[in-house]
Amino acid sequence: MRNYESIREWIKNLKKIVFVTGAGISQESGIPTFRGKDGLWRNYDAMKLATIDAFYENPKIVWEWYSERRRNIISALPNMGHRAIAELEKYAEVVVLTQNIDGLHQKSGSTKVLELHGSILKIKCTVCNYRDEILTEFTENPPNCKCGNILRPEVVWFGEQLPQDVWQEAIIHVNQCDLMIVAGTSLVVSPANILPTYAKQNNAFLVEINPEDTEMSLEMDLVIRDTSANALPKILSLFKEN
Ligand code: APR
């Protein structure tokens, strides 16, 4: 069984680290994950609320769900896992590909973050090209755009395409990385779950940080069965000692 020490040699001549992160990395900041016991909100299945059909059928409920999460996210603080990733920029080029919409990587100081699933802190029109930063007021219903149609959170819902410019850039980084660290994601959602396979094809060293098994655990070079707030500072300390 490999351990942290197996990264020590690998990081000596390392140039680029790519992180693929998911809800688990923000769990220790008090933000619930999607699957497992956290996946219900007022008895609604989170997976069923995160679709354009659910939004058109019941805009008030979906908007309320996002407003509540937005409130929680705005008051959340990055944890030791986010902070360790930000500090790693002192030792290598670091790119974070996150499925999270909470902005906590940026809040912790990471400078190169690609939001694959958008941001809960932004809104866009369902019809025209209007986009804006966070809404400061929390309305009960989704507000209307100047064009007369309703505004929605600028997030990627099930069945929607990822922003293609962001995705293309993500692939370029993945093809260039020496080390990929996959932290806090179940890797069940496509297309983000293909990123470790691309990195492997490029001979990157693959590390998974997750208290539980994922579909890709067997493909990893190193699996750390721990939370990200525990494991990432330990990885950072290997870089500091190097
Ligand atoms: N540290 C690390 N990993 C953790 C922690 C923790 N403290 N707590 C939980 N985990 C792990 C869980 O074991 C699980 O494998 O985080 C993972 C969270 O998985 P999901 O809830 O499926 O979240 P994620 O992989 O980000 O989901 C992907 O699906 O719902 C959509 O668009 C949404 O971006 C989301 C996407």
Side-chain angles (χ1 to χ4, degrees):
M1 180 72 180
R2 292 177 192 243
N3 56 25
Y4 285 91
E5 293 304 311
S6 58
I7 318 182
R8 200 183 280 282
E9 274 306 302
W10 195 266
I11 63 182
K12 280 199 176 125
N13 299 312
L14 176 143
K15 292 202 175 59
K16 188 175 211 159
I17 312 173
V18 166
F19 282 88
V20 175
T21 66
I25 198 166
S26 295
Q27 189 263 345
E28 287 155 291
S29 292
I31 300 171
T33 58
F34 294 95
R35 292 172 182 82
K37 63 177 171 43
D38 285 338
L40 285 182
W41 175 75
R42 294 192 199 159
N43 276 336
Y44 290 97
D45 179 349
M47 303 304 129
K48 295 202 177 122
L49 287 181
T51 68
I52 188 73
D53 289 345
F55 185 61
Y56 282 132
E57 269 162 38
N58 203 338
K60 186 171 182 293
I61 283 291
V62 176
W63 188 251
E64 230 178 304
W65 182 49
Y66 277 91
S67 295
E68 199 171 300
R69 290 165 66 203
R70 198 186 296 119
R71 259 191 217 101
N72 185 23
I73 281 168
I74 288 170
S75 60
L77 293 174
N79 62 54
M80 296 300 285
H82 298 107
R83 292 212 175 90
I85 294 176
E87 201 178 332
L88 270 174
E89 290 189 12
K90 290 182 189 160
Y91 306 94
E93 185 187 348
V94 177
V95 179
V96 182
L97 310 180
T98 189
Q99 297 165 84
N100 296 345
I101 57 174
D102 57 31
L104 286 183
H105 285 297
Q106 296 91 323
K107 220 177 186 177
S108 72
S110 283
T111 58
K112 187 79 191 163
V113 182
L114 300 187
E115 295 178 309
L116 303 176
H117 293 173
S119 169
I120 198 167
L121 306 176
K122 295 180 185 158
I123 44 163
K124 66 177 182 182
C125 180
T126 43
V127 176
C128 77
N129 288 328
Y130 176 78
R131 317 184 114 69
D132 204 354
E133 292 297 308
I134 181 176
L135 290 174
T136 42
E137 81 282 10
F138 291 92
T139 52
E140 221 176 271
N141 284 294
N144 276 345
C145 180
K146 286 190 196 106
C147 77
N149 293 291
I150 52 174
L151 295 170
R152 55 167 280 182
E154 190 165 358
V155 297
V156 176
W157 279 327
F158 287 109
E160 294 183 325
Q161 265 208 338
L162 267 55
Q164 286 305 292
D165 50 339
V166 177
W167 180 245
Q168 292 308 328
E169 198 185 336
I171 302 285
I172 291 170
H173 291 300
V174 167
N175 286 337
Q176 293 168 345
C177 74
D178 315 283
L179 171 64
M180 174 177 278
I181 302 182
V182 182
T185 171
S186 57
L187 289 175
V188 297
V189 173
S190 170
N193 62 357
I194 195 73
L195 295 172
T197 305
Y198 289 162
K200 184 115 190 162
Q201 284 165 359
N202 198 41
N203 297 320
F205 192 85
L206 285 192
V207 179
E208 176 175 78
I209 300 173
N210 197 313
E212 292 180 25
D213 270 336
T214 72
E215 313 238 333
M216 287 287 292
S217 294
L218 291 176
E219 314 298 320
M220 298 286 157
D221 295 299
L222 169 65
V223 173
I224 302 174
R225 285 273 161 267
D226 201 350
T227 72
S228 41
N230 280 333
L232 286 164
K234 289 184 193 159
I235 289 180
L236 173 65
S237 63
L238 291 176
F239 279 82
K240 286 183 174 168
E241 290 160 14
N242 223 27

